[in-house]
Amino acid sequence: MALLLFLTVTLGAGPAIVGLVEGVAEATASLLKLISGRLADRGWNHKGLVLGGYSTSNLARPLIGDFSQASQRGTAFGLYHMTTGLAALPGALLFGILWQGLGAATAFVVAAAIAAASALVLLGSSGKPVG
């Protein structure tokens, strides 16, 4: 979600670019999960694999600001970190629903509502760069 908002709102990317970036990101994530899972099964240090993944992500994060115009870097940085923080909330909410024993059906309804709200936010955006 954070990357999607960054691409559309800050950079003004169209649907084809967003789809390409999301597709490459998902494919890369899936491939890395497969590789790290195999390495963990073969006795690699689990903590080292997790630290390596998060470190790589954190090292790559500043590169996102390099794609913004100099006058928009602060906005891009703030938007990215705001949406990253907000992205954790639905997961915690769904975990709480399941933990309270409200059932998978309730969790699916809430997840669908969250997805619909996200789509409405994107539909309501102008797609033009901020500023």
Side-chain angles (χ1 to χ4, degrees):
M1 179 70 150
L3 181 59
L4 179 62
L5 284 172
F6 175 74
L7 288 172
T8 57
V9 175
T10 305
L11 299 181
I17 297 298
V18 171
L20 176 66
V21 169
E22 286 291 322
V24 169
E26 287 296 319
T28 302
S30 295
L31 184 61
L32 289 173
K33 287 176 190 175
L34 176 69
I35 292 169
S36 63
R38 293 278 295 167
L39 292 174
D41 288 345
R42 293 177 182 231
W44 280 56
N45 180 340
H46 294 192
K47 183 178 179 181
L49 290 170
V50 171
L51 283 172
Y54 280 112
S55 297
T56 302
S57 173
N58 287 327
L59 290 172
R61 196 165 288 141
L63 297 176
I64 292 173
D66 285 345
F67 291 107
S68 303
Q69 296 175 2
S71 64
Q72 296 295 318
R73 286 196 182 130
T75 301
F77 181 81
L79 179 66
Y80 177 82
H81 283 285
M82 179 197 70
T83 54
T84 301
L86 288 174
L89 291 176
L93 177 64
L94 295 175
F95 177 77
I97 288 170
L98 293 174
W99 187 64
Q100 291 295 319
L102 297 175
T106 303
F108 281 118
V109 169
V110 170
I114 292 168
S118 299
L120 288 174
V121 167
L122 291 174
L123 287 173
S125 72
S126 66
K128 296 178 183 174
V130 176

